[in-house]
Amino acid sequence: MKKMVQVYLAFLLVIGVLVSPIVALADTNGEAETEVVNEKFGAPIVVYGGNLTDDQKNSVKESLKVTDKSDVQEIVVTGKDLATYLNDGDASARMFSSAKITRKDAGSGLIINIVTPDNITEVTADMFANAMLTAGIEDAVVDIAAPKPVTGHSALVGIYKAYEVTGGELDPERTDVANDELSVATILSKQGGVDEEKVTELLTEIKKQIAEQNPASREEVEKIVSEQLSKLKIELSDKDRQLLIDLMDRIRQLDIDFSKWSDQLNDFSKTIEDKFNQIKDNEGFWQSVKDFFNNLIDSIRSIFS
């Protein structure tokens, strides 16, 4: 029994070694500890879910690294804001997801950090980035946190509010479609059984084709969707397929400069590819995998020696 416990502890230790390179890769995308305020946009905005208790708010502050010395502007997002930015938003909705938004100069792109990944259960960083681009937010660093497990959808509304507080202007139709996009993304992932990264890749590639081909009808959008599903070898139910087509047809009708959007989506697509390559080319990561199995085998052998 004692040896079995030792094996279990060794297993946990090696898992820690395995995970650490991945965490290190994610941390390299974050902001530096010392932030310089861009006077063009003002101090970063921290937006808190309106239903946080005092203890939960303090937990979120700690996660977002907000202290009494932090140069930030703090606001609250409520169900009323949800109704403002979404056509079918429920003003009585409970809001817990929170975020810190730092606007950047044009061309900087989007950097999304989910700093409490265990508590954001459905929406990934890439899903947020894709939806924000649809909404019209192009250059910002966003840190997202929640004090308890939530889907993460309400964080997008907080981001909208914070963006406009700093002087940005958002089209209500685009923000509503962006929220629809986030919902479809999580449905395809959670209910449709499609890998989260594949969902992000699918949405990005379809939007790229819409930007490049400028389809004039729903039928042309449906053709693009079918082509990308086939290309990425993704199978959807008829219901999920229609959800996707409906979403992309709404995107087609938005007032967007698609020539500009195409370049942004290419950059986003490259970012997704770079993330995979960064892990693939990380020799330390793969050495950790090798060491894990070697150590596990040695531990198992020791039980019977």
Side-chain angles (χ1 to χ4, degrees), residues 17-31:
V17 173
L18 267 173
V19 171
S20 60
I22 303 175
V23 173
L25 289 175
D27 286 345
T28 60
N29 291 328
E31 285 284 81

Side-chain angles (χ1 to χ4, degrees), residues 13-261:
L13 179 62
V14 177
I15 285 293
V17 173
L18 267 173
V19 171
S20 60
I22 303 175
V23 173
L25 289 175
D27 286 345
T28 60
N29 291 328
E31 285 284 81
E33 288 294 327
T34 302
E35 294 184 31
V36 177
V37 175
N38 186 330
E39 295 178 318
K40 184 189 302 182
F41 303 119
I45 304 291
V46 178
V47 53
Y48 300 106
N51 293 99
L52 295 176
T53 65
D54 289 341
D55 287 343
Q56 288 173 336
K57 184 176 180 180
N58 289 332
S59 174
V60 166
K61 281 188 173 184
E62 184 176 350
S63 297
L64 295 176
K65 298 181 180 179
V66 177
T67 68
D68 293 338
K69 297 181 180 180
S70 298
D71 187 1
V72 298
Q73 181 179 349
E74 298 176 300
I75 62 175
V76 174
V77 63
T78 68
K80 291 183 178 179
D81 297 306
L82 190 69
T84 297
Y85 290 105
L86 308 180
N87 290 335
D88 59 350
D90 183 358
S92 63
R94 294 170 61 78
M95 313 286 277
F96 293 97
S97 301
S98 304
K100 178 182 177 184
I101 299 89
T102 306
R103 288 188 62 190
K104 296 294 184 179
D105 290 319
S108 299
L110 290 170
I111 297 177
I112 314 297
N113 304 306
I114 298 180
V115 298
T116 57
D118 290 341
N119 287 340
I120 304 295
T121 64
E122 290 190 3
V123 186
T124 68
D126 289 335
M127 288 178 186
F128 274 120
N130 231 330
M132 287 169 63
L133 184 58
T134 298
I137 302 174
E138 303 170 3
D139 304 289
V141 174
V142 181
D143 298 321
I144 298 169
K148 66 177 186 177
V150 295
T151 63
H153 288 79
S154 67
L156 195 59
V157 176
I159 293 168
Y160 295 159
K161 184 173 182 178
Y163 189 79
E164 293 201 320
V165 165
T166 59
E169 295 184 5
L170 296 173
D171 179 348
E173 180 64 19
R174 288 186 65 168
T175 59
D176 188 65
V177 173
N179 186 73
D180 191 15
E181 177 179 337
L182 206 58
S183 296
V184 170
T186 55
I187 287 172
L188 295 183
S189 175
K190 295 299 180 181
Q191 300 178 22
V194 183
D195 182 78
E196 291 173 343
E197 286 76 15
K198 273 289 187 182
V199 170
T200 297
E201 184 179 9
L202 174 65
L203 295 178
T204 302
E205 292 304 316
I206 292 175
K207 290 197 290 186
K208 279 174 59 178
Q209 292 305 312
I210 289 176
E212 292 172 8
Q213 298 182 32
N214 193 22
S217 67
R218 178 185 175 87
E219 288 71 26
E220 291 179 11
V221 169
E222 187 170 356
K223 180 181 178 183
I224 291 174
V225 170
S226 297
E227 289 173 348
Q228 294 307 311
L229 285 172
S230 176
K231 176 183 176 182
L232 297 175
K233 299 179 180 179
I234 296 175
E235 294 185 6
L236 298 178
S237 67
D238 290 341
K239 181 180 178 181
D240 288 345
R241 187 187 186 92
Q242 286 307 310
L243 279 176
L244 184 58
I245 293 171
D246 290 344
L247 167 67
M248 292 303 165
D249 193 47
R250 288 191 70 191
I251 288 178
R252 170 186 70 84
Q253 299 176 60
L254 290 175
D255 183 18
I256 294 177
D257 181 353
F258 284 109
S259 61
K260 178 182 177 182
W261 207 30

